[in-house]
Amino acid sequence: MQRSAERIATISAHLNPSPSSHQMEGLSAANCRAKGGSPGFKVAIVGAAGGIGQPLAMLMKMNPLVSVLHLYDVANSPGVTADISHMDTGAVVRGFLGPQQLEDALTGMDLVVIPAGVPRKPGMTRDDLFNINAGIVKTLCEGIAKCCPKAIVNIISNPVNSTVPIAAEVFKMAGTFDPRRLLGVTMLDVVRANTFVAEVLGLDPREVNVPVVGGHAGVTILPLLSQIKPPCSFTPAETEYLTSRIQNGGTEVVEAKAGAGSATLSMAYAAVKFADACLHGLRGDAAIIQCAFVSSQVTELPFFASKVRLGRSGVEEIFPLGPLNEYERTGLEKAKKELATSIQKGVGFVKK
């Protein structure tokens, strides 16, 4: 009888919420399910109501490794939370709205995914986004340093070549920087490379694996077509076509959407694919290898995207680039030159 009364009281609370019931957690109705949540990891999506954030949140709600999913944004997060919380998967969803709830959103998280910021529009370069998104990432990372300094942090906000160094500097100033736990998400470049190469070869993209190194903008994106699996050779014309299309994949989408947005759906897919790899690493699964933009000694630059092995501590091993052909060596030098400028721009933003 007592348990029945408790259930009736819970239902009644939903039907007749008190005026203060939404003050702290956007949708505190999710609390009634907290004890029934599935075992797994606590994940926060910061920027969950945006063009990337919404499909990203939906896909993360479907991930069986996620037990608690926190959705934060400065606007519209209660609606997104209510919508996604109705999905019949194991993760408990809680919404957080505005700067006053940022710390609550971040406290106790195992993984924080940051797609927050403004999207690219026609005619904009990733550097054009810098002045807006740099400040957003800085503020969010200050919250992470305070509330969940041990969390794995996945940075999606562009320009990644600069926002990852910004995050690193914020964490250094707070005394919480762990280079293994800060990763710039370049997975969309790999996803595009696999897709575009598969089209040329007539293969299933899921059977193709193209390492993409360097950074996450223009010529800094360097697909290593000589290291493709399954092994395959390309003519110079094919190499040039594929490299150019992979490097300009984002622009292709921005122009196709004609002012209506940037690559949001494919980015959400790639972000979830990478976040899932991070969660499998946290679980202790073996041989979780992906490309990511991380603190690195692969080149003379302080940050570089290359293959990494993910584990319980985040990045547990960074792999060398391996043998490059002449075209790739030339591309590497171009990538490093532009990357150096972007990295310094991020560092300078925090130190100014």
Side-chain angles (χ1 to χ4, degrees), residues 48-226:
I52 297 170
Q54 291 197 39
L56 171 57
M58 182 184 74
L59 293 169
M60 287 304 293
K61 177 73 166 79
M62 297 166 65
N63 191 312
L65 295 181
V66 179
S67 61
V68 174
L69 182 62
H70 283 190
L71 305 180
Y72 170 86
D73 216 317
V74 295
N76 303 323
S77 55
V80 174
T81 304
D83 198 355
I84 287 175
S85 70
H86 292 182
M87 295 169 59
D88 59 348
T89 61
V92 174
V93 183
R94 300 187 181 117
F96 301 82
L97 178 65
Q100 70 277 10
Q101 294 188 0
L102 177 61
E103 292 186 7
D104 292 330
L106 294 171
T107 299
M109 295 296 102
D110 300 304
L111 173 67
V112 179
V113 185
I114 306 180
V118 298
R120 212 161 60 131
K121 297 176 182 177
M124 291 178 70
T125 66
R126 283 183 169 84
D127 280 340
D128 292 332
L129 302 176
F130 180 83
N131 289 330
I132 299 173
N133 289 356
I136 293 171
V137 170
K138 179 175 180 289
T139 299
L140 297 176
C141 288
E142 288 168 349
I144 291 169
K146 180 179 179 181
C147 300
C148 54
K150 299 294 185 183
I152 306 294
V153 180
N154 288 356
I155 304 281
I156 298 170
S157 307
N158 276 317
V160 167
N161 294 351
S162 298
T163 53
V164 170
I166 286 171
E169 290 302 313
V170 170
F171 295 151
K172 287 175 185 177
M173 291 175 67
T176 64
F177 181 54
D178 183 345
R180 300 172 301 174
R181 297 179 182 273
L182 175 62
L183 303 97
V185 179
T186 60
M187 177 65 83
L188 182 52
D189 302 322
V190 176
V191 165
R192 285 175 174 148
N194 293 344
T195 300
F196 301 160
V197 168
E199 288 176 359
V200 169
L201 298 179
L203 296 175
D204 185 330
R206 293 169 294 183
E207 298 173 358
V208 176
N209 187 0
V210 183
V212 182
V213 304
H216 185 56
V219 298
T220 70
I221 300 168
L222 183 61
L224 301 183
L225 298 174
S226 67

